[in-house]
Amino acid sequence: MRAGILTVLIAMGLLTACTPTRQDYDSFVTLTQGSARARNEAVNICVKSFDANARHNAGLVTNASDKDAPRVACNRLLAAMISGRATYDDFVDIKSHRFTPKLIKIFQGR
């Protein structure tokens, strides 16, 4: 139960308008590395943060339907975060709407 609450709190912090601290980011990655349930919850929270415009844009980048694009994008980003391919600085770029070539490749699944 505590892991679920912690996941929700950390994921909400990561997905809000403010940029999380590096410590929050590292805690989130560590939590999701060790818990499939935490990963699923984080993806569900991430998917809910997409509006219609974001769904469409994600569909273009992920090459998925607008309906499926948020889940595909969230799964790809989370996998990159867990593997270390996406860093805290990359996450800050996403929050600032700066999509670098590296991030585009991550969202494309390359």
Side-chain angles (χ1 to χ4, degrees):
M1 182 67 168
R2 287 186 183 181
I5 293 170
L6 182 60
T7 301
V8 170
L9 291 175
I10 292 173
M12 286 174 55
L14 289 176
L15 297 172
T16 59
C18 60
T19 303
T21 64
R22 188 174 299 272
Q23 182 177 349
D24 289 340
Y25 177 86
D26 291 341
S27 296
F28 176 77
V29 170
T30 301
L31 176 65
T32 55
Q33 284 173 331
S35 171
R37 185 173 174 194
R39 286 190 297 275
N40 290 337
E41 188 67 27
V43 168
N44 290 336
I45 291 169
C46 175
V47 167
K48 290 178 185 175
S49 71
F50 280 72
D51 62 17
N53 189 41
R55 284 179 182 275
H56 177 72
N57 291 337
L60 293 172
V61 176
T62 62
N63 198 30
S65 69
D66 288 1
K67 177 186 172 203
D68 296 333
R71 187 159 302 280
V72 171
C74 292
N75 276 317
R76 287 178 181 170
L77 177 60
L78 185 59
M81 291 166 67
I82 290 170
S83 73
R85 186 168 172 220
T87 64
Y88 172 76
D89 293 331
D90 295 323
F91 192 79
V92 170
D93 285 341
I94 290 170
K95 298 299 284 179
S96 302
H97 301 285
R98 289 187 304 260
F99 293 94
T100 63
K102 177 184 176 184
L103 290 171
I104 291 169
K105 287 179 182 178
I106 287 170
F107 286 120
Q108 289 177 334
R110 301 190 289 149

